[in-house]
Amino acid sequence: MAELKEKGINPGLAVVIVGDDPASRVYVNNKKKACEEIGIYSEEYALPAETTQEQLLDLIKTLSDSKQINGILVQLPLPKHLDEKAVIAAIPPEKDVDAFHPVNVGKIMIGDFDFLPCTPAGVMELIAEAGIDPTGKECVVIGRSNIVGKPQAMLLLHKNATVTICHSKTVDLKSVCRRADILVAAVGKAKFVTADMIKPGAVVIDVGMNRDENGKLCGDVDFENVKEVAGAITPVPGGVGPMTIAMLMKNAVKAALL
Ligand code: GUN
């Protein structure tokens, strides 16, 4: 960061949160803390739940025009009365550090991108750091969200994996999951992935962030039982979550260099 600042490059990230969803509050606090730790200038805009579409779009316009702000992140989900798609489309693609704008999504599809979406990119880093090459491997992604499932499948495909995306309508989910050399769980249901769904030795990546019956943070994977079958597994907390933040920091620096 010091090197960048010597060159007059000062990344600035604006984080917008609307309403008081407790999980979103935790995510936003973690993002701000990471900025402080590595020396990225950040501004938080915490707007009330009643904020109108027009007020939110006005703020995005101001941030879009700001010289000090290179990256704009609007924490999702937004309250129901707001049009999420229109909000994302209002962020200039070159400041879209989440890579949610249709232009950035399209660029990812064709493999010619500026930003990668933070969570799927974090998963790819974990796989690479563990010395695992997805080439030719059976990769199964559970979940088809725009934030994780769909881009995750695309990034694995770029690394030459054979990719299957599963979702709530998938017939015989267990059999499909048991084919996976690499299984990515992005379902949003506590301990949804059980040991009988795992091929022995498989790599299991847990993107979930849920509360169990005792209110304790847990992932989509039944960690205690699955770890006995898997060859490698990521915990929750402390697995994918910190990687997501690290990738956001990378994108914030990249935005300042564009
Ligand atoms: N909500 C859940 N994950 C994310 C994320 O990566 N970015 C934003 N903006 N909102 C989210």
Side-chain angles (χ1 to χ4, degrees):
M1 198 58 67
E3 244 171 69
L4 288 177
K5 287 188 178 166
E6 263 169 38
K7 291 184 191 154
I9 297 163
N10 285 298
L13 177 68
V15 180
V16 181
I17 175 169
V18 186
D20 42 23
D21 177 63
S24 289
R25 177 34 72 198
V26 173
Y27 294 145
V28 165
N29 287 351
N30 288 341
K31 289 169 184 180
K32 278 193 325 191
K33 205 165 95 201
C35 285
E36 276 164 32
E37 276 168 15
I38 72 167
I40 289 183
Y41 169 74
S42 76
E43 290 176 358
E44 180 189 300
Y45 295 85
L47 308 180
E50 319 75 72
T51 301
T52 65
Q53 182 79 8
E54 197 189 354
Q55 287 168 328
L56 183 52
L57 290 178
D58 279 350
L59 171 61
I60 291 173
K61 175 80 173 73
T62 305
L63 297 171
S64 303
D65 295 340
S66 164
K67 291 264 177 297
Q68 211 174 13
I69 294 299
N70 319 103
I72 303 171
L73 180 153
V74 178
Q75 188 65 30
L76 304 179
L78 290 171
K80 293 242 173 323
H81 68 280
L82 295 172
D83 179 351
E84 217 160 78
K85 275 193 195 141
V87 170
I88 290 169
I91 299 170
E94 66 278 11
K95 293 193 177 189
D96 171 35
V97 287
D98 269 321
F100 291 167
H101 189 285
V103 163
N104 288 326
V105 174
K107 284 181 153 195
I108 292 157
M109 187 84 149
I110 59 174
D112 169 29
F113 43 78
D114 301 310
F115 301 113
L116 285 177
C118 303
T119 299
V123 169
M124 297 310 290
E125 285 278 339
L126 281 171
I127 292 172
E129 279 295 312
I132 298 156
D133 177 4
T135 299
K137 294 214 164 61
E138 286 274 357
C139 294
V140 174
V141 179
I142 321 177
R144 54 174 157 178
S145 71
N146 290 333
I147 295 183
V148 184
K150 283 190 245 175
Q152 188 69 71
M154 199 50 62
L155 299 194
L156 287 163
L157 182 62
H158 289 331
K159 292 289 176 196
N160 308 309
T162 302
V163 187
T164 305
I165 307 178
C166 296
H167 45 79
S168 56
K169 303 286 188 292
T170 297
V171 175
D172 199 0
L173 179 68
K174 181 172 141 183
S175 302
V176 181
C177 290
R178 279 189 72 92
R179 293 208 304 256
D181 301 306
I182 300 175
L183 181 68
V184 181
V187 196
K189 288 189 182 147
K191 302 180 188 178
F192 179 84
V193 176
T194 47
D196 58 338
M197 295 163 76
I198 308 296
K199 172 167 149 181
V203 174
V204 180
I205 311 230
D206 192 347
V207 178
M209 190 73 87
N210 314 295
R211 300 268 164 195
D212 70 9
E213 59 281 8
N214 303 313
K216 201 169 144 242
L217 209 56
C218 75
D220 290 344
V221 175
D222 177 10
F223 184 86
E224 285 309 317
N225 294 309
V226 170
K227 78 177 192 322
E228 303 300 330
V229 188
I233 183 168
T234 65
V236 176
V240 174
M243 293 305 294
T244 297
I245 305 272
M247 295 302 109
L248 174 64
M249 297 299 105
K250 191 171 165 180
N251 283 348
V253 171
K254 196 155 191 193
L257 296 170
L258 283 180

